[in-house]
Amino acid sequence: GIVSLISLAVLSYERYCTMTGTTEADTTNYRKTWTGIVLSWTYSLVWTAPPLFGWSSYGPEGPGATCSVNWHSKDSNNASYIICLFIFCLVIPFVIIVYSYGKLLCAIRQVSGINKGMGRTREQRVLIMVVVMVVCFLLCWLPYATVALIATFGKPGLITPAASIIPSILAKSSTVYNPIIYIFLNKQVSKTL
Protein backbone atom coordinates (compact mmCIF):
# COMPACT_ATOMS: atom_id res chain seq x y z
CA GLY A 1 0.00 0.00 0.00
CA ILE A 2 2.74 2.46 0.87
CA VAL A 3 4.55 1.69 -2.38
CA SER A 4 1.40 2.59 -4.30
CA LEU A 5 0.95 5.85 -2.37
CA ILE A 6 4.55 6.90 -2.86
CA SER A 7 4.46 5.82 -6.51
CA LEU A 8 1.45 8.06 -7.11
CA ALA A 9 3.32 10.98 -5.56
CA VAL A 10 6.47 10.27 -7.59
CA LEU A 11 4.44 9.89 -10.79
CA SER A 12 2.58 13.15 -10.22
CA TYR A 13 5.85 15.01 -9.63
CA GLU A 14 7.47 13.35 -12.63
CA ARG A 15 4.47 14.22 -14.81
CA TYR A 16 4.68 17.84 -13.63
CA CYS A 17 8.42 17.97 -14.42
CA THR A 18 7.94 16.36 -17.84
CA MET A 19 5.03 18.58 -18.85
CA THR A 20 6.64 21.81 -17.69
CA GLY A 21 10.20 20.99 -18.76
CA THR A 22 11.77 23.04 -21.51
CA THR A 23 13.42 20.08 -23.22
CA GLU A 24 11.89 17.22 -25.19
CA ALA A 25 11.33 14.05 -23.15
CA ASP A 26 14.05 11.45 -23.80
CA THR A 27 12.30 8.11 -24.20
CA THR A 28 15.59 6.19 -24.38
CA ASN A 29 16.91 7.33 -20.99
CA TYR A 30 15.42 5.30 -18.15
CA ARG A 31 17.49 6.88 -15.39
CA LYS A 32 14.63 9.03 -14.06
CA THR A 33 12.28 6.05 -14.22
CA TRP A 34 14.63 3.80 -12.26
CA THR A 35 15.34 6.58 -9.78
CA GLY A 36 11.59 6.98 -9.17
CA ILE A 37 11.12 3.23 -8.72
CA VAL A 38 14.08 2.90 -6.34
CA LEU A 39 12.96 5.98 -4.40
CA SER A 40 9.39 4.64 -4.05
CA TRP A 41 10.50 1.22 -2.82
CA THR A 42 13.24 2.56 -0.52
CA TYR A 43 10.92 5.12 1.10
CA SER A 44 8.28 2.42 1.53
CA LEU A 45 10.78 0.01 3.06
CA VAL A 46 11.91 2.69 5.51
CA TRP A 47 8.29 3.05 6.71
CA THR A 48 7.31 -0.63 6.68
CA ALA A 49 10.39 -2.08 8.39
CA PRO A 50 10.08 -0.46 11.87
CA PRO A 51 7.46 -2.94 13.17
CA LEU A 52 9.96 -5.71 12.44
CA PHE A 53 12.37 -3.99 14.84
CA GLY A 54 9.95 -3.20 17.67
CA TRP A 55 8.32 0.11 16.70
CA SER A 56 4.68 -1.07 16.65
CA SER A 57 3.88 -4.52 15.24
CA TYR A 58 2.08 -6.36 12.47
CA GLY A 59 -0.99 -8.51 12.98
CA PRO A 60 -4.21 -9.71 11.39
CA GLU A 61 -6.40 -7.02 9.93
CA GLY A 62 -10.20 -7.01 9.92
CA PRO A 63 -11.60 -10.53 9.89
CA GLY A 64 -8.07 -11.96 9.80
CA ALA A 65 -7.76 -12.44 6.03
CA THR A 66 -4.96 -9.87 5.61
CA CYS A 67 -2.06 -8.56 7.65
CA SER A 68 -1.40 -4.95 8.56
CA VAL A 69 -0.10 -2.70 11.30
CA ASN A 70 -1.61 -3.46 14.69
CA TRP A 71 -4.18 -0.64 14.71
CA HIS A 72 -5.81 -1.75 17.95
CA SER A 73 -2.87 -1.44 20.32
CA LYS A 74 -3.20 1.67 22.49
CA ASP A 75 0.39 2.01 23.75
CA SER A 76 2.51 5.06 22.90
CA ASN A 77 4.96 2.98 20.86
CA ASN A 78 2.18 1.94 18.49
CA ALA A 79 0.40 5.33 18.49
CA SER A 80 3.59 7.20 17.54
CA TYR A 81 4.16 4.84 14.61
CA ILE A 82 0.55 5.27 13.42
CA ILE A 83 0.89 9.06 13.57
CA CYS A 84 4.16 8.93 11.60
CA LEU A 85 2.59 6.60 9.01
CA PHE A 86 -0.34 8.96 8.67
CA ILE A 87 1.89 12.02 8.18
CA PHE A 88 4.73 10.55 6.10
CA CYS A 89 2.79 7.98 4.07
CA LEU A 90 -0.55 9.71 3.48
CA VAL A 91 -0.40 13.46 4.14
CA ILE A 92 2.99 14.15 2.52
CA PRO A 93 2.27 12.09 -0.64
CA PHE A 94 -1.11 13.82 -0.91
CA VAL A 95 0.52 17.25 -0.60
CA ILE A 96 3.04 16.31 -3.32
CA ILE A 97 0.22 15.13 -5.60
CA VAL A 98 -1.84 18.30 -5.07
CA TYR A 99 1.24 20.53 -5.48
CA SER A 100 2.40 18.78 -8.66
CA TYR A 101 -0.99 18.71 -10.33
CA GLY A 102 -1.74 22.25 -9.16
CA LYS A 103 1.49 23.56 -10.69
CA LEU A 104 0.81 21.54 -13.85
CA LEU A 105 -2.63 23.12 -14.16
CA CYS A 106 -1.13 26.59 -13.67
CA ALA A 107 1.42 25.90 -16.41
CA ILE A 108 -1.29 24.67 -18.79
CA ARG A 109 -3.42 27.71 -17.97
CA GLN A 110 -0.51 29.99 -18.94
CA VAL A 111 -0.09 28.14 -22.23
CA SER A 112 -3.82 28.28 -22.91
CA GLY A 113 -3.66 32.06 -22.55
CA ILE A 114 -1.33 32.11 -25.57
CA ASN A 115 -3.25 29.58 -27.66
CA LYS A 116 -6.92 30.13 -26.77
CA GLY A 117 -8.77 27.33 -28.60
CA MET A 118 -6.55 24.30 -28.29
CA GLY A 119 -5.18 25.36 -24.90
CA ARG A 120 -8.64 25.53 -23.30
CA THR A 121 -9.56 22.02 -24.47
CA ARG A 122 -6.27 20.59 -23.23
CA GLU A 123 -6.60 22.46 -19.94
CA GLN A 124 -10.09 21.06 -19.40
CA ARG A 125 -8.97 17.47 -20.16
CA VAL A 126 -6.01 17.70 -17.79
CA LEU A 127 -8.17 19.35 -15.12
CA ILE A 128 -10.73 16.54 -15.33
CA MET A 129 -7.98 13.91 -15.15
CA VAL A 130 -6.33 15.60 -12.17
CA VAL A 131 -9.60 16.00 -10.27
CA VAL A 132 -10.58 12.38 -10.93
CA MET A 133 -7.14 11.11 -9.82
CA VAL A 134 -7.13 13.17 -6.62
CA VAL A 135 -10.72 12.19 -5.79
CA CYS A 136 -9.93 8.50 -6.38
CA PHE A 137 -6.81 8.83 -4.22
CA LEU A 138 -8.92 10.28 -1.41
CA LEU A 139 -11.75 7.76 -1.87
CA CYS A 140 -9.27 4.88 -1.67
CA TRP A 141 -7.03 6.01 1.17
CA LEU A 142 -9.04 8.36 3.38
CA PRO A 143 -11.52 5.72 4.62
CA TYR A 144 -8.64 3.37 5.42
CA ALA A 145 -6.70 6.10 7.24
CA THR A 146 -9.83 7.15 9.12
CA VAL A 147 -10.59 3.59 10.23
CA ALA A 148 -6.97 3.14 11.30
CA LEU A 149 -6.95 6.36 13.32
CA ILE A 150 -10.31 5.54 14.95
CA ALA A 151 -9.09 2.03 15.79
CA THR A 152 -5.89 3.45 17.29
CA PHE A 153 -7.25 6.47 19.16
CA GLY A 154 -10.96 5.71 19.55
CA LYS A 155 -12.81 3.53 22.02
CA PRO A 156 -11.84 -0.16 21.95
CA GLY A 157 -14.19 -2.20 19.77
CA LEU A 158 -15.53 0.89 17.93
CA ILE A 159 -14.25 -0.47 14.62
CA THR A 160 -15.40 -4.03 14.13
CA PRO A 161 -13.59 -6.45 11.78
CA ALA A 162 -16.55 -6.33 9.39
CA ALA A 163 -16.46 -2.50 9.29
CA SER A 164 -12.79 -2.50 8.32
CA ILE A 165 -13.15 -4.75 5.25
CA ILE A 166 -14.36 -2.16 2.70
CA PRO A 167 -11.75 0.53 3.54
CA SER A 168 -9.02 -2.14 3.42
CA ILE A 169 -10.14 -3.41 0.02
CA LEU A 170 -10.41 0.14 -1.36
CA ALA A 171 -6.89 1.01 -0.19
CA LYS A 172 -5.34 -2.18 -1.51
CA SER A 173 -7.03 -1.81 -4.90
CA SER A 174 -5.97 1.82 -5.40
CA THR A 175 -3.08 0.95 -7.72
CA VAL A 176 -5.56 -0.36 -10.28
CA TYR A 177 -7.50 2.89 -10.68
CA ASN A 178 -4.89 5.39 -11.88
CA PRO A 179 -3.88 3.47 -15.03
CA ILE A 180 -7.57 3.05 -15.89
CA ILE A 181 -8.22 6.77 -15.33
CA TYR A 182 -5.16 7.71 -17.37
CA ILE A 183 -6.13 5.41 -20.25
CA PHE A 184 -9.71 6.65 -20.51
CA LEU A 185 -8.98 10.35 -19.98
CA ASN A 186 -5.79 10.63 -22.05
CA LYS A 187 -6.65 11.42 -25.66
CA GLN A 188 -3.36 10.09 -27.05
CA VAL A 189 -3.74 6.74 -25.30
CA SER A 190 -7.40 6.46 -26.30
CA LYS A 191 -6.52 7.09 -29.99
CA THR A 192 -3.83 4.42 -29.87
CA LEU A 193 -6.27 1.87 -28.44
Side-chain angles (χ1 to χ4, degrees), residues 59-166:
E61 179 181 46
T66 59
C67 180
S68 185
V69 175
N70 183 1
W71 305 115
H72 301 287
S73 176
K74 302 290 185 190
D75 65 354
S76 61
N77 180 25
N78 189 61
S80 64
Y81 180 69
I82 302 299
I83 291 169
C84 285
L85 271 183
F86 185 76
I87 292 169
F88 291 100
C89 297
L90 181 70
V91 174
I92 289 176
F94 181 69
V95 167
I96 290 170
I97 289 168
V98 169
Y99 172 82
S100 298
Y101 286 143
K103 293 296 260 182
L104 180 60
L105 287 173
C106 289
I108 290 172
R109 191 163 277 171
Q110 287 176 349
V111 170
S112 70
I114 298 167
N115 185 354
K116 296 279 186 204
M118 191 169 175
R120 285 276 182 226
T121 306
R122 182 176 181 208
E123 178 185 343
Q124 289 170 345
R125 278 195 325 264
V126 171
L127 177 63
I128 290 168
M129 186 170 60
V130 167
V131 168
V132 169
M133 285 182 163
V134 170
V135 166
C136 281
F137 177 90
L138 289 174
L139 285 176
C140 288
W141 286 104
L142 215 49
Y144 189 73
T146 303
V147 165
L149 290 174
I150 290 171
T152 303
F153 299 107
K155 294 178 184 176
L158 191 59
I159 301 294
T160 64
S164 67
I165 292 172
I166 299 293

Side-chain angles (χ1 to χ4, degrees), residues 12-63:
S12 67
Y13 184 73
E14 192 279 330
R15 187 173 296 147
Y16 159 69
C17 291
T18 300
M19 296 288 285
T20 59
T22 56
T23 60
E24 187 77 22
D26 184 7
T27 58
T28 61
N29 184 359
Y30 294 103
R31 186 174 180 181
K32 278 175 56 175
T33 303
W34 281 109
T35 302
I37 292 168
V38 169
L39 176 71
S40 297
W41 280 91
T42 303
Y43 190 87
S44 300
L45 182 63
V46 164
W47 286 106
T48 54
L52 301 174
F53 301 104
W55 190 19
S56 189
S57 63
Y58 288 116
E61 179 181 46

Side-chain angles (χ1 to χ4, degrees), residues 125 128-129 178-193:
R125 278 195 325 264
I128 290 168
M129 186 170 60
N178 269 348
I180 292 170
I181 293 166
Y182 192 72
I183 288 169
F184 286 110
L185 293 180
N186 188 316
K187 197 172 184 179
Q188 293 169 331
V189 175
S190 297
K191 281 183 183 179
T192 305
L193 293 175

